[in-house]
PDB file of all heavy atoms in Angstrom:
ATOM      1  N   PHE A   1      64.288  84.977 101.080  1.00  0.00           N
ATOM      2  CA  PHE A   1      65.560  85.346 101.725  1.00  0.00           C
ATOM      3  C   PHE A   1      65.919  86.829 101.476  1.00  0.00           C
ATOM      4  O   PHE A   1      66.625  87.428 102.399  1.00  0.00           O
ATOM      5  CB  PHE A   1      66.646  84.465 101.384  1.00  0.00           C
ATOM      6  CG  PHE A   1      66.657  83.096 101.905  1.00  0.00           C
ATOM      7  CD1 PHE A   1      66.235  81.967 101.123  1.00  0.00           C
ATOM      8  CD2 PHE A   1      66.986  82.779 103.132  1.00  0.00           C
ATOM      9  CE1 PHE A   1      66.011  80.723 101.538  1.00  0.00           C
ATOM     10  CE2 PHE A   1      66.963  81.457 103.746  1.00  0.00           C
ATOM     11  CZ  PHE A   1      66.480  80.448 102.909  1.00  0.00           C
ATOM     12  N   GLN A   2      65.458  87.337 100.383  1.00  0.00           N
ATOM     13  CA  GLN A   2      65.924  88.537  99.828  1.00  0.00           C
ATOM     14  C   GLN A   2      65.400  89.784 100.723  1.00  0.00           C
ATOM     15  O   GLN A   2      66.197  90.677 101.091  1.00  0.00           O
ATOM     16  CB  GLN A   2      65.529  88.868  98.471  1.00  0.00           C
ATOM     17  CG  GLN A   2      66.152  90.000  97.786  1.00  0.00           C
ATOM     18  CD  GLN A   2      66.156  89.928  96.274  1.00  0.00           C
ATOM     19  OE1 GLN A   2      66.389  88.916  95.743  1.00  0.00           O
ATOM     20  NE2 GLN A   2      65.708  91.026  95.601  1.00  0.00           N
ATOM     21  N   GLU A   3      64.126  89.780 100.985  1.00  0.00           N
ATOM     22  CA  GLU A   3      63.466  90.872 101.710  1.00  0.00           C
ATOM     23  C   GLU A   3      64.073  91.000 103.165  1.00  0.00           C
ATOM     24  O   GLU A   3      64.454  92.160 103.525  1.00  0.00           O
ATOM     25  CB  GLU A   3      62.039  90.643 101.793  1.00  0.00           C
ATOM     26  CG  GLU A   3      61.248  91.834 102.533  1.00  0.00           C
ATOM     27  CD  GLU A   3      61.253  93.116 101.670  1.00  0.00           C
ATOM     28  OE1 GLU A   3      61.382  93.054 100.451  1.00  0.00           O
ATOM     29  OE2 GLU A   3      61.106  94.080 102.298  1.00  0.00           O
ATOM     30  N   PRO A   4      64.234  89.952 103.916  1.00  0.00           N
ATOM     31  CA  PRO A   4      64.824  90.170 105.346  1.00  0.00           C
ATOM     32  C   PRO A   4      66.250  90.653 105.303  1.00  0.00           C
ATOM     33  O   PRO A   4      66.801  91.240 106.240  1.00  0.00           O
ATOM     34  CB  PRO A   4      64.619  88.727 105.969  1.00  0.00           C
ATOM     35  CG  PRO A   4      63.561  88.147 105.146  1.00  0.00           C
ATOM     36  CD  PRO A   4      63.718  88.515 103.799  1.00  0.00           C
ATOM     37  N   LEU A   5      67.034  90.259 104.163  1.00  0.00           N
ATOM     38  CA  LEU A   5      68.444  90.615 104.102  1.00  0.00           C
ATOM     39  C   LEU A   5      68.698  91.982 103.544  1.00  0.00           C
ATOM     40  O   LEU A   5      69.804  92.616 103.665  1.00  0.00           O
ATOM     41  CB  LEU A   5      69.197  89.572 103.247  1.00  0.00           C
ATOM     42  CG  LEU A   5      69.337  88.171 103.955  1.00  0.00           C
ATOM     43  CD1 LEU A   5      69.869  87.144 102.877  1.00  0.00           C
ATOM     44  CD2 LEU A   5      70.191  88.189 105.146  1.00  0.00           C
ATOM     45  N   LYS A   6      67.667  92.502 102.944  1.00  0.00           N
ATOM     46  CA  LYS A   6      67.734  93.815 102.202  1.00  0.00           C
ATOM     47  C   LYS A   6      68.252  94.951 103.061  1.00  0.00           C
ATOM     48  O   LYS A   6      69.108  95.793 102.598  1.00  0.00           O
ATOM     49  CB  LYS A   6      66.402  94.127 101.477  1.00  0.00           C
ATOM     50  CG  LYS A   6      66.519  95.261 100.466  1.00  0.00           C
ATOM     51  CD  LYS A   6      65.105  95.287  99.790  1.00  0.00           C
ATOM     52  CE  LYS A   6      64.030  95.648 100.620  1.00  0.00           C
ATOM     53  NZ  LYS A   6      62.814  95.797  99.944  1.00  0.00           N
ATOM     54  N   ASN A   7      67.690  94.963 104.343  1.00  0.00           N
ATOM     55  CA  ASN A   7      68.130  96.098 105.291  1.00  0.00           C
ATOM     56  C   ASN A   7      69.539  96.057 105.595  1.00  0.00           C
ATOM     57  O   ASN A   7      70.159  97.129 105.697  1.00  0.00           O
ATOM     58  CB  ASN A   7      67.212  95.960 106.472  1.00  0.00           C
ATOM     59  CG  ASN A   7      65.785  96.355 106.225  1.00  0.00           C
ATOM     60  OD1 ASN A   7      65.432  97.039 105.330  1.00  0.00           O
ATOM     61  ND2 ASN A   7      64.905  95.873 107.148  1.00  0.00           N
ATOM     62  N   ILE A   8      70.094  94.866 105.708  1.00  0.00           N
ATOM     63  CA  ILE A   8      71.537  94.797 106.101  1.00  0.00           C
ATOM     64  C   ILE A   8      72.380  95.469 104.984  1.00  0.00           C
ATOM     65  O   ILE A   8      73.313  96.088 105.220  1.00  0.00           O
ATOM     66  CB  ILE A   8      71.934  93.389 106.268  1.00  0.00           C
ATOM     67  CG1 ILE A   8      71.169  92.679 107.488  1.00  0.00           C
ATOM     68  CG2 ILE A   8      73.448  93.177 106.465  1.00  0.00           C
ATOM     69  CD1 ILE A   8      71.394  91.285 107.589  1.00  0.00           C
ATOM     70  N   PHE A   9      71.976  95.088 103.653  1.00  0.00           N
ATOM     71  CA  PHE A   9      72.722  95.598 102.543  1.00  0.00           C
ATOM     72  C   PHE A   9      72.547  97.113 102.264  1.00  0.00           C
ATOM     73  O   PHE A   9      73.401  97.753 101.733  1.00  0.00           O
ATOM     74  CB  PHE A   9      72.612  94.658 101.382  1.00  0.00           C
ATOM     75  CG  PHE A   9      73.196  93.253 101.514  1.00  0.00           C
ATOM     76  CD1 PHE A   9      72.386  92.260 101.931  1.00  0.00           C
ATOM     77  CD2 PHE A   9      74.501  93.122 101.359  1.00  0.00           C
ATOM     78  CE1 PHE A   9      72.915  91.007 102.141  1.00  0.00           C
ATOM     79  CE2 PHE A   9      75.143  91.887 101.469  1.00  0.00           C
ATOM     80  CZ  PHE A   9      74.302  90.816 101.900  1.00  0.00           C
ATOM     81  N   SER A  10      71.294  97.536 102.627  1.00  0.00           N
ATOM     82  CA  SER A  10      70.966  98.882 102.366  1.00  0.00           C
ATOM     83  C   SER A  10      71.883  99.818 103.318  1.00  0.00           C
ATOM     84  O   SER A  10      72.287 100.826 102.952  1.00  0.00           O
ATOM     85  CB  SER A  10      69.499  99.093 102.643  1.00  0.00           C
ATOM     86  OG  SER A  10      68.699  98.533 101.662  1.00  0.00           O
ATOM     87  N   LEU A  11      72.160  99.279 104.612  1.00  0.00           N
ATOM     88  CA  LEU A  11      72.811  99.936 105.478  1.00  0.00           C
ATOM     89  C   LEU A  11      74.355 100.019 104.996  1.00  0.00           C
ATOM     90  O   LEU A  11      75.024 101.030 105.104  1.00  0.00           O
ATOM     91  CB  LEU A  11      72.824  99.283 106.899  1.00  0.00           C
ATOM     92  CG  LEU A  11      73.548  99.991 108.016  1.00  0.00           C
ATOM     93  CD1 LEU A  11      73.066 101.298 108.343  1.00  0.00           C
ATOM     94  CD2 LEU A  11      73.490  99.026 109.267  1.00  0.00           C
ATOM     95  N   ALA A  12      74.814  98.893 104.545  1.00  0.00           N
ATOM     96  CA  ALA A  12      76.284  98.854 104.078  1.00  0.00           C
ATOM     97  C   ALA A  12      76.346  99.622 102.886  1.00  0.00           C
ATOM     98  O   ALA A  12      77.498 100.326 102.562  1.00  0.00           O
ATOM     99  CB  ALA A  12      76.632  97.396 103.691  1.00  0.00           C
ATOM    100  N   LEU A  13      75.399  99.776 102.015  1.00  0.00           N
ATOM    101  CA  LEU A  13      75.575 100.489 100.719  1.00  0.00           C
ATOM    102  C   LEU A  13      75.296 101.960 100.883  1.00  0.00           C
ATOM    103  O   LEU A  13      75.853 102.732 100.170  1.00  0.00           O
ATOM    104  CB  LEU A  13      74.515  99.994  99.615  1.00  0.00           C
ATOM    105  CG  LEU A  13      74.622 100.387  98.266  1.00  0.00           C
ATOM    106  CD1 LEU A  13      76.025  99.922  97.607  1.00  0.00           C
ATOM    107  CD2 LEU A  13      73.499  99.792  97.359  1.00  0.00           C
ATOM    108  N   GLY A  14      74.581 102.292 101.891  1.00  0.00           N
ATOM    109  CA  GLY A  14      74.380 103.719 102.079  1.00  0.00           C
ATOM    110  C   GLY A  14      73.135 104.195 101.482  1.00  0.00           C
ATOM    111  O   GLY A  14      72.841 105.469 101.431  1.00  0.00           O
ATOM    112  N   ARG A  15      72.300 103.330 100.912  1.00  0.00           N
ATOM    113  CA  ARG A  15      71.027 103.718 100.254  1.00  0.00           C
ATOM    114  C   ARG A  15      70.048 102.468 100.353  1.00  0.00           C
ATOM    115  O   ARG A  15      70.405 101.473 100.421  1.00  0.00           O
ATOM    116  CB  ARG A  15      71.261 104.136  98.808  1.00  0.00           C
ATOM    117  CG  ARG A  15      71.757 102.986  97.842  1.00  0.00           C
ATOM    118  CD  ARG A  15      71.922 103.361  96.443  1.00  0.00           C
ATOM    119  NE  ARG A  15      72.409 102.324  95.534  1.00  0.00           N
ATOM    120  CZ  ARG A  15      71.653 101.418  94.996  1.00  0.00           C
ATOM    121  NH1 ARG A  15      70.448 101.362  95.317  1.00  0.00           N
ATOM    122  NH2 ARG A  15      72.282 100.484  94.275  1.00  0.00           N
ATOM    123  N   GLN A  16      68.791 102.992 100.302  1.00  0.00           N
ATOM    124  CA  GLN A  16      67.718 101.932 100.372  1.00  0.00           C
ATOM    125  C   GLN A  16      67.693 101.091  99.113  1.00  0.00           C
ATOM    126  O   GLN A  16      67.395 101.550  97.976  1.00  0.00           O
ATOM    127  CB  GLN A  16      66.371 102.518 100.642  1.00  0.00           C
ATOM    128  CG  GLN A  16      65.260 101.522 100.895  1.00  0.00           C
ATOM    129  CD  GLN A  16      65.516 100.703 102.188  1.00  0.00           C
ATOM    130  OE1 GLN A  16      65.974 101.200 103.168  1.00  0.00           O
ATOM    131  NE2 GLN A  16      65.151  99.437 102.139  1.00  0.00           N
ATOM    132  N   LEU A  17      67.860  99.737  99.187  1.00  0.00           N
ATOM    133  CA  LEU A  17      67.627  98.767  98.006  1.00  0.00           C
ATOM    134  C   LEU A  17      66.221  98.560  97.802  1.00  0.00           C
ATOM    135  O   LEU A  17      65.366  98.509  98.788  1.00  0.00           O
ATOM    136  CB  LEU A  17      68.342  97.446  98.350  1.00  0.00           C
ATOM    137  CG  LEU A  17      69.891  97.454  98.346  1.00  0.00           C
ATOM    138  CD1 LEU A  17      70.380  96.226  98.862  1.00  0.00           C
ATOM    139  CD2 LEU A  17      70.391  97.648  96.892  1.00  0.00           C
ATOM    140  N   THR A  18      65.775  98.433  96.542  1.00  0.00           N
ATOM    141  CA  THR A  18      64.463  98.142  96.147  1.00  0.00           C
ATOM    142  C   THR A  18      64.374  96.613  95.759  1.00  0.00           C
ATOM    143  O   THR A  18      65.406  96.080  95.317  1.00  0.00           O
ATOM    144  CB  THR A  18      63.960  98.958  95.042  1.00  0.00           C
ATOM    145  OG1 THR A  18      64.748  98.855  93.872  1.00  0.00           O
ATOM    146  CG2 THR A  18      64.002 100.345  95.475  1.00  0.00           C
ATOM    147  N   ASN A  19      63.099  96.020  95.634  1.00  0.00           N
ATOM    148  CA  ASN A  19      63.008  94.730  95.040  1.00  0.00           C
ATOM    149  C   ASN A  19      63.450  94.475  93.721  1.00  0.00           C
ATOM    150  O   ASN A  19      63.890  93.387  93.234  1.00  0.00           O
ATOM    151  CB  ASN A  19      61.605  94.134  95.294  1.00  0.00           C
ATOM    152  CG  ASN A  19      61.168  94.078  96.684  1.00  0.00           C
ATOM    153  OD1 ASN A  19      61.997  93.758  97.625  1.00  0.00           O
ATOM    154  ND2 ASN A  19      59.886  94.227  96.993  1.00  0.00           N
ATOM    155  N   GLY A  20      63.441  95.621  92.947  1.00  0.00           N
ATOM    156  CA  GLY A  20      63.896  95.486  91.602  1.00  0.00           C
ATOM    157  C   GLY A  20      65.298  95.838  91.235  1.00  0.00           C
ATOM    158  O   GLY A  20      65.618  95.851  90.088  1.00  0.00           O
ATOM    159  N   ASP A  21      66.096  95.980  92.354  1.00  0.00           N
ATOM    160  CA  ASP A  21      67.503  96.393  92.179  1.00  0.00           C
ATOM    161  C   ASP A  21      68.256  95.135  91.698  1.00  0.00           C
ATOM    162  O   ASP A  21      68.338  94.164  92.357  1.00  0.00           O
ATOM    163  CB  ASP A  21      67.886  96.886  93.541  1.00  0.00           C
ATOM    164  CG  ASP A  21      69.298  97.667  93.359  1.00  0.00           C
ATOM    165  OD1 ASP A  21      70.098  97.314  92.510  1.00  0.00           O
ATOM    166  OD2 ASP A  21      69.428  98.708  94.061  1.00  0.00           O
ATOM    167  N   ALA A  22      68.852  95.310  90.458  1.00  0.00           N
ATOM    168  CA  ALA A  22      69.512  94.277  89.854  1.00  0.00           C
ATOM    169  C   ALA A  22      70.776  93.878  90.518  1.00  0.00           C
ATOM    170  O   ALA A  22      71.449  92.903  90.386  1.00  0.00           O
ATOM    171  CB  ALA A  22      69.756  94.556  88.448  1.00  0.00           C
ATOM    172  N   SER A  23      71.272  94.837  91.386  1.00  0.00           N
ATOM    173  CA  SER A  23      72.692  94.663  92.023  1.00  0.00           C
ATOM    174  C   SER A  23      72.462  93.736  93.168  1.00  0.00           C
ATOM    175  O   SER A  23      73.529  93.390  93.724  1.00  0.00           O
ATOM    176  CB  SER A  23      73.234  95.967  92.424  1.00  0.00           C
ATOM    177  OG  SER A  23      72.438  96.675  93.315  1.00  0.00           O
ATOM    178  N   PHE A  24      71.304  93.435  93.605  1.00  0.00           N
ATOM    179  CA  PHE A  24      71.095  92.609  94.869  1.00  0.00           C
ATOM    180  C   PHE A  24      70.224  91.423  94.566  1.00  0.00           C
ATOM    181  O   PHE A  24      69.161  91.563  94.115  1.00  0.00           O
ATOM    182  CB  PHE A  24      70.424  93.416  95.929  1.00  0.00           C
ATOM    183  CG  PHE A  24      70.195  92.731  97.177  1.00  0.00           C
ATOM    184  CD1 PHE A  24      71.242  92.198  97.926  1.00  0.00           C
ATOM    185  CD2 PHE A  24      68.897  92.558  97.676  1.00  0.00           C
ATOM    186  CE1 PHE A  24      70.947  91.512  99.163  1.00  0.00           C
ATOM    187  CE2 PHE A  24      68.608  91.995  98.844  1.00  0.00           C
ATOM    188  CZ  PHE A  24      69.694  91.316  99.586  1.00  0.00           C
ATOM    189  N   MET A  25      70.770  90.290  94.715  1.00  0.00           N
ATOM    190  CA  MET A  25      69.942  88.967  94.459  1.00  0.00           C
ATOM    191  C   MET A  25      70.416  87.888  95.400  1.00  0.00           C
ATOM    192  O   MET A  25      71.635  87.773  95.791  1.00  0.00           O
ATOM    193  CB  MET A  25      70.255  88.463  93.034  1.00  0.00           C
ATOM    194  CG  MET A  25      69.404  87.285  92.645  1.00  0.00           C
ATOM    195  SD  MET A  25      69.904  86.812  90.961  1.00  0.00           S
ATOM    196  CE  MET A  25      69.377  88.257  90.111  1.00  0.00           C
ATOM    197  N   VAL A  26      69.416  87.130  95.927  1.00  0.00           N
ATOM    198  CA  VAL A  26      69.607  86.004  96.835  1.00  0.00           C
ATOM    199  C   VAL A  26      69.085  84.794  96.312  1.00  0.00           C
ATOM    200  O   VAL A  26      68.031  84.659  95.878  1.00  0.00           O
ATOM    201  CB  VAL A  26      69.099  86.298  98.280  1.00  0.00           C
ATOM    202  CG1 VAL A  26      69.350  85.135  99.118  1.00  0.00           C
ATOM    203  CG2 VAL A  26      69.577  87.742  98.822  1.00  0.00           C
ATOM    204  N   GLN A  27      69.830  83.644  96.212  1.00  0.00           N
ATOM    205  CA  GLN A  27      69.401  82.342  95.674  1.00  0.00           C
ATOM    206  C   GLN A  27      69.789  81.273  96.554  1.00  0.00           C
ATOM    207  O   GLN A  27      70.951  81.169  97.048  1.00  0.00           O
ATOM    208  CB  GLN A  27      70.024  82.210  94.280  1.00  0.00           C
ATOM    209  CG  GLN A  27      69.527  83.120  93.246  1.00  0.00           C
ATOM    210  CD  GLN A  27      70.116  82.741  91.747  1.00  0.00           C
ATOM    211  OE1 GLN A  27      71.343  82.813  91.673  1.00  0.00           O
ATOM    212  NE2 GLN A  27      69.304  82.559  90.797  1.00  0.00           N
ATOM    213  N   MET A  28      68.956  80.298  96.627  1.00  0.00           N
ATOM    214  CA  MET A  28      69.298  79.014  97.261  1.00  0.00           C
ATOM    215  C   MET A  28      69.818  78.021  96.263  1.00  0.00           C
ATOM    216  O   MET A  28      69.134  77.922  95.232  1.00  0.00           O
ATOM    217  CB  MET A  28      68.011  78.364  98.053  1.00  0.00           C
ATOM    218  CG  MET A  28      68.324  77.078  98.619  1.00  0.00           C
ATOM    219  SD  MET A  28      66.828  76.206  99.293  1.00  0.00           S
ATOM    220  CE  MET A  28      66.691  77.043 100.835  1.00  0.00           C
ATOM    221  N   LYS A  29      70.826  77.386  96.527  1.00  0.00           N
ATOM    222  CA  LYS A  29      71.400  76.443  95.544  1.00  0.00           C
ATOM    223  C   LYS A  29      71.997  75.118  96.201  1.00  0.00           C
ATOM    224  O   LYS A  29      72.095  75.130  97.504  1.00  0.00           O
ATOM    225  CB  LYS A  29      72.654  77.073  94.790  1.00  0.00           C
ATOM    226  CG  LYS A  29      72.154  78.216  93.886  1.00  0.00           C
ATOM    227  CD  LYS A  29      73.354  78.627  93.062  1.00  0.00           C
ATOM    228  CE  LYS A  29      72.942  79.609  91.929  1.00  0.00           C
ATOM    229  NZ  LYS A  29      74.047  80.003  91.076  1.00  0.00           N
ATOM    230  N   ASP A  30      72.123  74.139  95.490  1.00  0.00           N
ATOM    231  CA  ASP A  30      72.893  72.850  95.875  1.00  0.00           C
ATOM    232  C   ASP A  30      72.175  72.089  97.046  1.00  0.00           C
ATOM    233  O   ASP A  30      72.863  71.824  98.009  1.00  0.00           O
ATOM    234  CB  ASP A  30      74.338  73.231  96.109  1.00  0.00           C
ATOM    235  CG  ASP A  30      75.023  73.854  94.924  1.00  0.00           C
ATOM    236  OD1 ASP A  30      74.764  73.481  93.912  1.00  0.00           O
ATOM    237  OD2 ASP A  30      75.883  74.697  95.249  1.00  0.00           O
ATOM    238  N   LEU A  31      70.784  72.073  97.086  1.00  0.00           N
ATOM    239  CA  LEU A  31      70.230  71.396  98.151  1.00  0.00           C
ATOM    240  C   LEU A  31      70.468  69.828  98.206  1.00  0.00           C
ATOM    241  O   LEU A  31      70.324  69.235  97.145  1.00  0.00           O
ATOM    242  CB  LEU A  31      68.655  71.651  98.031  1.00  0.00           C
ATOM    243  CG  LEU A  31      67.811  70.900  99.145  1.00  0.00           C
ATOM    244  CD1 LEU A  31      68.039  71.566 100.465  1.00  0.00           C
ATOM    245  CD2 LEU A  31      66.362  70.985  98.795  1.00  0.00           C
TER     246      LEU A  31
END
């Protein structure tokens, strides 16, 4: 889920997020 959502948040943040960026994380929970 993280890679496809990364561009949305990069645009909002004003800089390109990387896969190792600790400030951005996506998790699936409570299935």
Side-chain angles (χ1 to χ4, degrees):
F1 287 100
Q2 186 160 318
E3 183 67 26
L5 292 171
K6 191 170 62 177
N7 290 336
I8 297 173
F9 290 95
S10 294
L11 181 64
L13 192 61
R15 65 177 176 85
Q16 185 64 38
L17 288 168
T18 63
N19 289 335
D21 198 319
S23 65
F24 179 63
M25 183 181 299
V26 181
Q27 290 182 308
M28 174 188 282
K29 293 189 172 184
D30 306 320
L31 179 65

